[in-house]
Amino acid sequence: MSDLVRSLIRDVPDFPKPGIVFKDITPVLSHPKALREVVDGMAERYRGRGVDKVVAIESRGFLFGAPLAYALGAGLTIVRKPGKLPWKCVREEYALEYGKDSLEMHVDAVAPGNKVLVIDDLLATGGTAEAVGRLVARQGATVAEYAFVVELSFLSGRKRLGESSVYSLIQY
Ligand code: AMP
C-alpha cells in the first residue's frame, strides 16, 4: 500500500480515553486519491473470489464496506450495536478491556452457504471481528477473510482470528 495512505492516518493521543492512541482514518476518507487507493486495493484482492456479501462493522467499517461491496458486485451486510437494527437479529457478546459489549446482525442478512468478507477500519485485539465471525457462522455462512485498513500488529488480533484469514493494508 502506498505511503500516501499511511501518511494520512493521524495519531490522536488519549482519545477516546487516556492511554489510547486513536488511529484517525478520516483524512484518508477526505483525500480523493487515497480513498480510491484503499477501495481499489481491497477490490483487487477480492475480485473473482466469489464473495457474496461484504459484512461491515459499525461504524467506520461501513465507510469502506459499502464502496467495496459495490466494486465487487457483492451485497452489503451491516453489523451494528444492539438496538439499532429494526428487524429480527442474532446477537453476539464480546469482551472489552472492562466489561463487555454486543453486536447484532439481521437474521436474514447472510444466507446459509454464503461466502462473506468481514471488513472494519482497524484490527486491534480482534475481539470485535471475532464476534462478527460468530454471527456469520451462526447463519451458516463462511468468512472468506477479515479485511482491515489498519492493523495494530502488537495487539495480536491476527492470531486470534487465524493468521491466514486476516488481510490488512497498513500495519503498525
Ligand atoms: P478490537 O476488537 O480490539 O480489534 O477493536 C477493534 C475495533 O475498535 C474497531 O472497530 C476499531 O475501529 C476500534 N479501535 C480499537 N482500537 C482503536 C484505535 N487505536 N484507533 C482507532 N480505532 C480503534
Side-chain angles (χ1 to χ4, degrees):
M1 177 55 38
S2 83
D3 294 342
L4 171 67
V5 177
R6 183 182 279 273
S7 73
L8 287 167
I9 293 169
R10 177 163 57 196
D11 280 2
V12 184
D14 300 319
F15 183 88
K17 52 185 184 184
I20 305 282
V21 180
F22 192 85
K23 296 285 184 195
D24 178 19
I25 51 82
T26 61
V28 177
L29 293 172
S30 64
H31 192 292
K33 190 164 179 276
L35 178 59
R36 182 161 280 197
E37 264 188 35
V38 168
V39 177
D40 286 354
M42 294 261 185
E44 226 167 83
R45 179 174 178 85
Y46 296 108
R47 202 170 278 123
R49 283 177 56 175
V51 172
D52 300 297
K53 297 276 166 64
V54 173
V55 176
I57 307 177
E58 180 166 358
S59 59
R60 289 179 296 278
F62 298 170
L63 303 169
F64 300 103
L68 179 59
Y70 178 85
L72 292 176
L76 176 69
T77 292
I78 57 174
V79 171
R80 300 204 65 182
K81 297 279 167 61
K84 301 278 190 184
L85 288 168
W87 184 239
K88 288 177 204 155
C89 289
V90 277
R91 178 188 292 197
E92 280 288 334
E93 281 189 348
Y94 60 102
L96 297 174
E97 201 178 344
Y98 300 105
K100 48 192 173 179
D101 213 338
S102 310
L103 285 170
E104 292 185 342
M105 182 174 80
H106 277 156
V107 289
D108 53 2
V110 297
N114 273 176
K115 191 171 172 183
V116 314
L117 172 66
V118 175
I119 184 161
D120 203 354
D121 67 326
L122 182 139
L123 172 64
T125 66
T128 308
E130 190 182 45
V132 173
R134 291 198 300 270
L135 285 174
V136 168
R138 275 173 63 181
Q139 301 311 101
T142 309
V143 176
E145 208 159 55
Y146 296 89
F148 304 91
V149 180
V150 178
E151 175 180 3
L152 303 182
S153 310
F154 55 91
L155 292 175
S156 304
R158 180 180 284 268
K159 258 193 205 126
R160 188 162 178 174
L161 297 174
E163 292 281 350
S164 58
S165 57
V166 173
Y167 176 68
S168 61
L169 292 176
I170 291 169
Q171 300 81 29
Y172 290 92

